[in-house]
Amino acid sequence: MKPDCSNIFSDIPSQLPEELFECILKRDNIHIERIVSRGHVTSEGYWYDQDFDEWVILLQGQAVIVYEQDQVHIALKAGDYLLIPANVKHRVEWTMPEVDTVWLAIHLH
């Protein structure tokens, strides 16, 4: 059996016109993805509203997530992690424009 081994920081395109979402692992009740942002934010007026919990850790860069309810802003730096409960409306308000912000997101279905 050949191990499936890679590096979370490898193969990031030099040009990133849109935020990059890549599936790393998908099983029945868990979905792990790498997200790379470079100044990308959630579209104006759009709120993520997911039917599952999402745990994210910021591996590199900086970002701000905002919750719709009470407009709570959460500033994240490398190493910070956050559990976003199911059906909590949220959006990415800011990511660093000139540095890759690398996220690891775990969706718990």
Side-chain angles (χ1 to χ4, degrees):
M1 179 177 128
K2 183 180 178 203
D4 185 14
C5 182
S6 191
N7 185 293
I8 198 79
F9 300 109
S10 67
D11 300 323
I12 296 175
S14 60
Q15 299 296 312
L16 207 58
E18 295 182 5
E19 199 167 33
L20 179 66
F21 294 86
E22 293 180 315
C23 179
I24 293 175
L25 177 72
K26 191 168 188 175
R27 296 289 188 262
D28 292 339
N29 59 348
I30 191 167
H31 179 196
I32 302 172
E33 67 183 352
R34 173 178 80 166
I35 304 168
V36 181
S37 311
R38 193 179 298 142
H40 300 97
V41 298
T42 306
S43 299
E44 189 66 35
Y46 182 81
W47 296 91
Y48 289 102
D49 185 6
Q50 303 162 156
D51 291 331
F52 50 84
D53 291 341
E54 179 180 12
W55 184 87
V56 296
I57 185 167
L58 205 63
L59 302 176
Q60 176 178 292
Q62 296 178 18
V64 174
I65 291 181
V66 63
Y67 288 163
E68 181 186 46
Q69 184 177 358
D70 301 327
Q71 293 293 299
V72 173
H73 286 70
I74 302 152
L76 301 170
K77 63 184 180 318
D80 290 342
Y81 58 87
L82 175 68
L83 175 66
I84 304 169
N87 301 116
V88 170
K89 291 183 178 181
H90 63 283
R91 54 180 280 116
V92 177
E93 190 78 8
W94 176 84
T95 61
M96 296 183 77
E98 297 171 8
V99 175
D100 291 335
T101 297
V102 179
W103 314 71
L104 185 68
I106 300 175
H107 302 169
L108 304 164
H109 294 272

